[in-house]
Amino acid sequence: MILIKRLCDTLSPLKRPDVRELKEALAAIGCTPELVAPYVSEPERLPYGRNVLYRSDEVEAIVVHLPARSETYIHDHGSSAGCALVVEGIMQNAMFQVDERGEAAYVAEFRMREGQTILAPKGQIHQMSNPGARRTVSLHLYSPPLSGAKTYKRAEQYVLDYVI
């Protein structure tokens, strides 16, 4: 219950926080693997576990569990901005942009380790994955709470062959 109290104490005063304020709130919560362990959910309908720990009109806090060698769908966060702290394990964060066919075209990828923060400004399209042999657990904050998120099909990588 310590983590729930910290979430309530830190997040309840926030009014329309931006990504910077969400990052500061994550740092203030002081989340550790031991504090988050009771709230780690196993995957059910999705390829990852997801547990909403706090939700107000302004902010939502979610624990995400990526089992070894698993990944999320390519997605955006609807009208929300977000921030996530890698609490345990390693996370790959692949960035995408929508191409002319409305598919997600790969742009770049970053590896995040325990204690590092991922920023997700409004409109960002990404896919989180766990390339490791152990689980990855992260704590995510979104403002406003998630709604209207979309998933995307990955654009095929075309190679043009020219015959001269």
Side-chain angles (χ1 to χ4, degrees):
M1 296 308 278
I2 295 170
L3 179 57
I4 301 297
K5 179 167 179 6
R6 287 184 187 181
L7 288 168
C8 291
D9 291 349
T10 305
L11 302 178
S12 62
L14 297 179
K15 301 295 180 215
R16 297 185 180 206
D18 60 20
V19 174
R20 179 189 55 80
E21 291 169 301
L22 292 174
K23 182 179 179 182
E24 290 171 0
L26 268 177
I29 291 164
C31 191
T32 65
E34 296 77 25
L35 286 177
V36 79
Y39 306 102
V40 175
S41 298
E42 292 301 321
E44 290 179 12
R45 299 179 329 272
L46 299 168
Y48 56 92
R50 182 179 189 280
N51 189 2
V52 177
L53 300 185
Y54 176 90
R55 186 179 174 110
S56 70
D57 290 341
E58 303 290 336
V59 184
E60 182 173 39
I62 302 171
V63 172
V64 173
H65 164 219
L66 283 166
R69 296 177 185 83
S70 67
E71 62 189 15
T72 66
Y73 301 118
I74 300 170
H75 64 281
D76 65 23
H77 298 122
S79 61
S80 301
C83 187
L85 172 69
V86 179
V87 179
E88 181 181 327
I90 297 168
M91 183 184 294
Q92 291 287 122
N93 190 32
M95 311 300 290
F96 295 85
Q97 62 185 18
V98 177
D99 67 11
E100 64 280 354
R101 293 179 305 278
E103 296 176 341
Y106 176 83
V107 174
E109 196 164 334
F110 306 94
R111 181 171 282 207
M112 312 302 288
R113 300 195 182 283
E114 290 178 21
Q116 292 185 306
T117 305
I118 300 164
L119 302 179
K122 184 177 174 183
Q124 181 185 77
I125 300 169
H126 75 134
Q127 179 180 42
M128 300 176 303
S129 63
N130 175 2
R134 331 177 315 180
R135 72 181 188 182
T136 295
V137 176
S138 50
L139 177 62
H140 300 245
L141 300 181
Y142 298 100
S143 182
L146 288 174
S147 70
K150 289 177 33 182
T151 59
Y152 297 83
K153 178 182 173 191
R154 187 178 186 125
E156 294 185 26
Q157 303 298 317
Y158 295 99
V159 177
L160 299 177
D161 291 324
Y162 294 97
V163 178
I164 299 179

Coordinates of all heavy atoms in Angstrom, one line a residue, residues 1-57:
M1 N 0.8 -1.2 0.0 CA 0.0 0.0 0.0 C 0.8 1.3 0.0 O 0.3 2.3 -0.2 CB -0.9 0.0 1.2 CG -2.0 -1.1 1.2 SD -2.9 -1.3 -0.3 CE -4.2 -0.1 0.0
I2 N 2.1 1.1 0.2 CA 3.0 2.3 0.3 C 3.0 3.0 -1.1 O 2.9 4.2 -1.2 CB 4.5 1.9 0.7 CG1 4.5 1.4 2.1 CG2 5.4 3.1 0.5 CD1 5.8 0.8 2.6
L3 N 3.1 2.2 -2.2 CA 3.1 2.8 -3.5 C 1.8 3.5 -3.8 O 1.8 4.6 -4.4 CB 3.4 1.7 -4.6 CG 3.4 2.1 -6.0 CD1 4.4 3.2 -6.2 CD2 3.7 1.0 -7.0
I4 N 0.7 2.9 -3.5 CA -0.6 3.6 -3.7 C -0.7 4.9 -3.0 O -1.1 5.9 -3.5 CB -1.8 2.6 -3.3 CG1 -1.7 1.3 -4.1 CG2 -3.1 3.4 -3.5 CD1 -1.9 1.4 -5.6
K5 N -0.2 4.9 -1.7 CA -0.2 6.2 -1.0 C 0.7 7.2 -1.7 O 0.3 8.4 -1.8 CB 0.2 6.0 0.4 CG 0.2 7.3 1.3 CD 0.4 7.1 2.7 CE 0.4 8.3 3.6 NZ 0.2 9.6 3.0
R6 N 1.9 6.8 -2.1 CA 2.8 7.7 -2.8 C 2.1 8.3 -4.1 O 2.3 9.5 -4.4 CB 4.1 7.1 -3.1 CG 5.0 6.9 -1.9 CD 6.3 6.3 -2.3 NE 7.1 5.9 -1.1 CZ 8.3 5.4 -1.2 NH1 8.9 5.2 -2.3 NH2 9.0 5.1 -0.1
L7 N 1.5 7.4 -4.8 CA 0.8 7.8 -6.0 C -0.3 8.9 -5.7 O -0.3 9.9 -6.3 CB 0.2 6.6 -6.8 CG 1.1 5.7 -7.4 CD1 0.4 4.4 -7.9 CD2 1.8 6.3 -8.6
C8 N -1.1 8.6 -4.7 CA -2.2 9.5 -4.4 C -1.6 10.9 -3.9 O -2.0 11.9 -4.3 CB -3.0 8.9 -3.3 SG -4.0 7.6 -3.8
D9 N -0.6 10.8 -3.0 CA 0.0 12.0 -2.5 C 0.7 12.9 -3.6 O 0.6 14.1 -3.5 CB 1.0 11.7 -1.4 CG 0.4 11.2 -0.1 OD1 -0.8 11.2 0.0 OD2 1.2 10.6 0.7
T10 N 1.3 12.2 -4.5 CA 2.1 12.9 -5.6 C 1.2 13.4 -6.7 O 1.4 14.5 -7.2 CB 3.2 12.0 -6.1 OG1 4.0 11.6 -5.0 CG2 4.1 12.8 -7.1
L11 N 0.2 12.6 -7.1 CA -0.5 12.9 -8.3 C -1.8 13.7 -8.0 O -2.2 14.4 -8.9 CB -0.9 11.5 -9.0 CG 0.3 10.7 -9.4 CD1 -0.2 9.4 -10.1 CD2 1.3 11.4 -10.3
S12 N -2.4 13.5 -6.9 CA -3.7 14.2 -6.6 C -3.6 15.8 -6.8 O -4.6 16.4 -7.2 CB -4.3 13.8 -5.3 OG -3.5 14.1 -4.2
P13 N -2.5 16.4 -6.4 CA -2.4 17.9 -6.6 C -2.2 18.3 -8.0 O -2.4 19.5 -8.3 CB -1.2 18.3 -5.7 CG -0.8 17.1 -4.9 CD -1.3 15.9 -5.6
L14 N -1.9 17.4 -8.9 CA -1.6 17.8 -10.3 C -2.8 18.3 -11.1 O -3.8 17.6 -11.0 CB -0.9 16.7 -11.1 CG 0.5 16.2 -10.5 CD1 1.0 15.1 -11.3 CD2 1.5 17.4 -10.5
K15 N -2.6 19.4 -11.8 CA -3.7 19.9 -12.7 C -3.1 20.1 -14.1 O -2.2 20.9 -14.3 CB -4.2 21.3 -12.2 CG -4.8 21.2 -10.8 CD -6.0 20.4 -10.7 CE -6.5 20.3 -9.3 NZ -7.1 19.0 -8.9
R16 N -3.6 19.2 -15.0 CA -3.2 19.3 -16.4 C -1.6 19.3 -16.6 O -1.1 20.1 -17.2 CB -3.7 20.5 -17.2 CG -5.2 20.4 -17.2 CD -5.8 21.5 -18.1 NE -7.2 21.4 -18.1 CZ -8.0 21.9 -19.0 NH1 -7.5 22.5 -20.1 NH2 -9.3 21.7 -19.0
P17 N -1.0 18.3 -16.0 CA 0.5 18.3 -16.0 C 1.0 18.0 -17.4 O 0.3 17.2 -18.2 CB 0.9 17.1 -15.1 CG -0.3 16.2 -15.1 CD -1.5 17.2 -15.2
D18 N 2.1 18.6 -17.8 CA 2.7 18.3 -19.1 C 3.8 17.2 -18.9 O 3.9 16.7 -17.7 CB 3.4 19.6 -19.7 CG 4.4 20.2 -18.8 OD1 5.0 19.5 -17.9 OD2 4.7 21.4 -19.0
V19 N 4.5 16.8 -19.9 CA 5.4 15.7 -19.8 C 6.5 16.0 -18.8 O 6.9 15.1 -18.1 CB 6.0 15.4 -21.2 CG1 7.1 14.4 -21.2 CG2 5.0 15.0 -22.2
R20 N 7.0 17.2 -18.7 CA 8.0 17.5 -17.7 C 7.5 17.3 -16.3 O 8.2 16.8 -15.5 CB 8.5 19.0 -17.9 CG 9.5 19.5 -16.9 CD 9.8 21.0 -17.0 NE 8.6 21.8 -16.9 CZ 8.0 22.1 -15.7 NH1 8.5 21.6 -14.6 NH2 6.9 22.8 -15.7
E21 N 6.3 17.8 -16.0 CA 5.7 17.6 -14.7 C 5.4 16.1 -14.4 O 5.6 15.7 -13.3 CB 4.4 18.4 -14.6 CG 4.6 19.9 -14.6 CD 3.3 20.7 -14.8 OE1 2.6 20.5 -15.8 OE2 3.0 21.5 -13.9
L22 N 5.1 15.3 -15.4 CA 4.9 13.9 -15.2 C 6.2 13.2 -14.9 O 6.3 12.4 -14.0 CB 4.3 13.3 -16.4 CG 2.8 13.6 -16.8 CD1 2.4 13.0 -18.1 CD2 1.9 13.2 -15.6
K23 N 7.3 13.7 -15.5 CA 8.6 13.1 -15.2 C 9.0 13.5 -13.8 O 9.5 12.6 -13.1 CB 9.6 13.6 -16.2 CG 11.0 13.1 -16.0 CD 12.0 13.6 -17.0 CE 13.4 13.0 -16.8 NZ 14.4 13.5 -17.7
E24 N 8.8 14.7 -13.4 CA 9.1 15.1 -12.0 C 8.3 14.3 -11.0 O 8.8 13.9 -10.0 CB 8.8 16.6 -11.8 CG 9.8 17.5 -12.6 CD 9.4 19.0 -12.6 OE1 8.4 19.3 -12.0 OE2 10.2 19.7 -13.1
A25 N 7.0 14.0 -11.3 CA 6.1 13.3 -10.4 C 6.7 11.8 -10.3 O 6.7 11.3 -9.2 CB 4.7 13.3 -10.9
L26 N 7.1 11.2 -11.4 CA 7.6 9.9 -11.4 C 8.8 9.8 -10.4 O 9.0 8.9 -9.7 CB 8.1 9.4 -12.8 CG 7.1 8.6 -13.6 CD1 7.6 8.3 -15.0 CD2 6.6 7.4 -12.9
A27 N 9.7 10.8 -10.6 CA 10.9 10.9 -9.7 C 10.5 11.0 -8.2 O 11.1 10.4 -7.3 CB 11.8 12.0 -10.1
A28 N 9.5 11.8 -8.0 CA 9.0 12.1 -6.6 C 8.4 10.8 -5.9 O 8.5 10.6 -4.7 CB 8.1 13.2 -6.5
I29 N 7.8 10.0 -6.7 CA 7.1 8.8 -6.2 C 8.2 7.8 -5.6 O 7.9 7.1 -4.6 CB 6.3 8.1 -7.3 CG1 5.1 9.0 -7.7 CG2 5.8 6.7 -6.9 CD1 4.4 8.7 -9.0
G30 N 9.4 7.7 -6.2 CA 10.4 6.9 -5.6 C 10.1 5.4 -5.8 O 10.2 4.6 -4.9
C31 N 9.6 5.0 -7.0 CA 9.2 3.6 -7.2 C 10.4 2.7 -7.3 O 11.4 3.0 -7.9 CB 8.4 3.6 -8.5 SG 7.6 2.0 -8.8
T32 N 10.3 1.6 -6.6 CA 11.4 0.5 -6.6 C 10.8 -0.8 -7.1 O 9.5 -1.0 -7.0 CB 12.0 0.4 -5.3 OG1 11.0 -0.1 -4.4 CG2 12.6 1.7 -4.7
P33 N 11.6 -1.8 -7.5 CA 11.0 -3.1 -7.8 C 10.2 -3.7 -6.6 O 9.2 -4.3 -6.9 CB 12.3 -3.9 -8.1 CG 13.3 -2.9 -8.6 CD 13.0 -1.7 -7.8
E34 N 10.7 -3.5 -5.4 CA 10.0 -4.0 -4.2 C 8.6 -3.4 -4.1 O 7.7 -4.1 -3.7 CB 10.8 -3.9 -3.0 CG 12.2 -4.6 -3.0 CD 13.2 -3.9 -3.8 OE1 13.2 -2.7 -4.1 OE2 14.1 -4.6 -4.3
L35 N 8.5 -2.1 -4.3 CA 7.2 -1.4 -4.1 C 6.2 -1.8 -5.2 O 5.0 -1.9 -4.9 CB 7.4 0.1 -4.1 CG 8.0 0.8 -2.9 CD1 8.2 2.2 -3.1 CD2 7.2 0.5 -1.7
V36 N 6.7 -2.0 -6.4 CA 5.8 -2.3 -7.5 C 5.4 -3.8 -7.6 O 4.4 -4.1 -8.2 CB 6.3 -1.7 -8.8 CG1 7.4 -2.6 -9.4 CG2 5.2 -1.5 -9.8
A37 N 6.2 -4.7 -7.0 CA 6.1 -6.1 -7.2 C 4.6 -6.6 -6.9 O 4.1 -7.4 -7.7 CB 7.1 -6.9 -6.3
P38 N 3.9 -6.1 -5.9 CA 2.6 -6.7 -5.6 C 1.6 -6.3 -6.7 O 0.5 -6.8 -6.8 CB 2.2 -6.0 -4.3 CG 3.4 -5.5 -3.7 CD 4.4 -5.3 -4.8
Y39 N 1.9 -5.3 -7.6 CA 1.0 -4.8 -8.6 C 1.3 -5.3 -10.0 O 0.7 -4.8 -11.0 CB 1.0 -3.3 -8.5 CG 0.7 -2.8 -7.1 CD1 1.7 -2.3 -6.3 CD2 -0.6 -2.9 -6.6 CE1 1.4 -1.9 -5.0 CE2 -0.9 -2.5 -5.3 CZ 0.1 -2.0 -4.5 OH -0.1 -1.6 -3.2
V40 N 2.3 -6.1 -10.2 CA 2.6 -6.7 -11.5 C 1.6 -7.7 -11.9 O 1.4 -8.7 -11.2 CB 4.1 -7.2 -11.5 CG1 4.4 -7.9 -12.8 CG2 5.1 -6.2 -11.1
S41 N 1.0 -7.5 -13.0 CA 0.0 -8.4 -13.6 C 0.5 -9.2 -14.7 O 1.3 -8.7 -15.5 CB -1.3 -7.6 -14.1 OG -1.9 -6.9 -13.0
E42 N 0.1 -10.4 -14.8 CA 0.5 -11.3 -15.9 C -0.4 -10.9 -17.1 O -1.5 -10.5 -16.9 CB 0.3 -12.8 -15.6 CG 1.2 -13.3 -14.5 CD 2.7 -13.1 -14.9 OE1 3.0 -13.4 -16.1 OE2 3.5 -12.8 -14.0
P43 N 0.1 -11.2 -18.3 CA -0.7 -10.9 -19.5 C -2.0 -11.7 -19.5 O -2.0 -12.8 -19.1 CB 0.2 -11.3 -20.7 CG 1.6 -11.2 -20.1 CD 1.4 -11.6 -18.7
E44 N -3.1 -11.1 -20.0 CA -4.4 -11.7 -20.2 C -4.8 -11.6 -21.6 O -4.5 -12.4 -22.5 CB -5.4 -11.2 -19.2 CG -5.1 -11.6 -17.8 CD -6.1 -11.1 -16.8 OE1 -7.2 -10.5 -17.2 OE2 -5.9 -11.1 -15.6
R45 N -5.5 -10.5 -22.0 CA -6.0 -10.2 -23.3 C -4.9 -9.6 -24.2 O -5.0 -9.7 -25.4 CB -7.2 -9.3 -23.3 CG -8.4 -9.8 -22.5 CD -9.5 -8.9 -22.5 NE -9.2 -7.5 -22.5 CZ -9.0 -6.7 -21.5 NH1 -9.0 -7.2 -20.3 NH2 -8.7 -5.4 -21.6
L46 N -3.9 -9.0 -23.6 CA -2.8 -8.3 -24.4 C -1.5 -9.1 -24.2 O -1.4 -10.0 -23.3 CB -2.6 -6.9 -23.8 CG -3.8 -6.0 -23.9 CD1 -3.6 -4.7 -23.1 CD2 -4.1 -5.6 -25.4
P47 N -0.5 -8.9 -25.0 CA 0.7 -9.6 -24.9 C 1.6 -9.1 -23.7 O 2.7 -9.5 -23.5 CB 1.5 -9.3 -26.2 CG 0.8 -8.2 -26.8 CD -0.6 -8.0 -26.2
Y48 N 1.0 -8.2 -22.8 CA 1.7 -7.7 -21.7 C 0.7 -7.5 -20.5 O -0.5 -7.5 -20.8 CB 2.4 -6.4 -22.0 CG 1.4 -5.3 -22.5 CD1 0.8 -4.4 -21.7 CD2 1.2 -5.2 -23.9 CE1 -0.1 -3.5 -22.2 CE2 0.3 -4.3 -24.4 CZ -0.3 -3.4 -23.6 OH -1.2 -2.5 -24.1
G49 N 1.2 -7.5 -19.3 CA 0.3 -7.3 -18.2 C 0.1 -5.8 -18.0 O 1.0 -5.0 -18.2
R50 N -1.0 -5.4 -17.5 CA -1.4 -4.0 -17.3 C -2.3 -3.8 -16.1 O -3.3 -4.5 -16.0 CB -2.1 -3.5 -18.6 CG -2.5 -2.1 -18.7 CD -3.3 -1.9 -20.0 NE -3.5 -0.5 -20.2 CZ -4.4 0.2 -19.7 NH1 -5.3 -0.3 -18.9 NH2 -4.6 1.5 -20.0
N51 N -1.9 -2.9 -15.2 CA -2.6 -2.8 -13.9 C -2.7 -1.3 -13.6 O -1.7 -0.6 -13.4 CB -1.9 -3.5 -12.8 CG -2.8 -3.5 -11.5 OD1 -3.9 -3.1 -11.5 ND2 -2.2 -4.1 -10.5
V52 N -3.9 -0.7 -13.7 CA -4.2 0.7 -13.4 C -4.2 0.8 -11.8 O -5.0 0.2 -11.1 CB -5.5 1.2 -13.9 CG1 -5.8 2.6 -13.5 CG2 -5.5 1.0 -15.4
L53 N -3.3 1.6 -11.3 CA -3.1 1.8 -9.9 C -3.8 3.1 -9.4 O -4.1 3.2 -8.2 CB -1.7 1.8 -9.5 CG -0.8 0.6 -9.8 CD1 0.6 0.7 -9.2 CD2 -1.5 -0.7 -9.2
Y54 N -3.9 4.1 -10.2 CA -4.4 5.4 -9.8 C -5.1 6.0 -11.1 O -4.5 6.0 -12.2 CB -3.3 6.3 -9.3 CG -3.8 7.7 -8.9 CD1 -4.2 8.0 -7.7 CD2 -3.7 8.7 -9.9 CE1 -4.6 9.3 -7.3 CE2 -4.1 10.0 -9.6 CZ -4.6 10.3 -8.3 OH -5.0 11.5 -8.0
R55 N -6.2 6.7 -10.8 CA -6.9 7.4 -11.9 C -7.7 8.5 -11.3 O -8.5 8.3 -10.4 CB -7.8 6.5 -12.7 CG -8.3 7.2 -14.0 CD -9.2 6.2 -14.7 NE -9.9 6.9 -15.8 CZ -9.6 6.8 -17.1 NH1 -8.7 6.0 -17.5 NH2 -10.3 7.5 -18.0
S56 N -7.4 9.7 -11.8 CA -8.2 10.9 -11.5 C -8.7 11.6 -12.8 O -8.4 11.0 -13.9 CB -7.4 11.9 -10.7 OG -6.4 12.5 -11.5
D57 N -9.3 12.7 -12.7 CA -9.7 13.4 -14.0 C -8.5 13.9 -14.7 O -8.5 14.2 -15.9 CB -10.6 14.6 -13.6 CG -12.0 14.1 -13.2 OD1 -12.4 13.0 -13.5 OD2 -12.7 14.9 -12.6

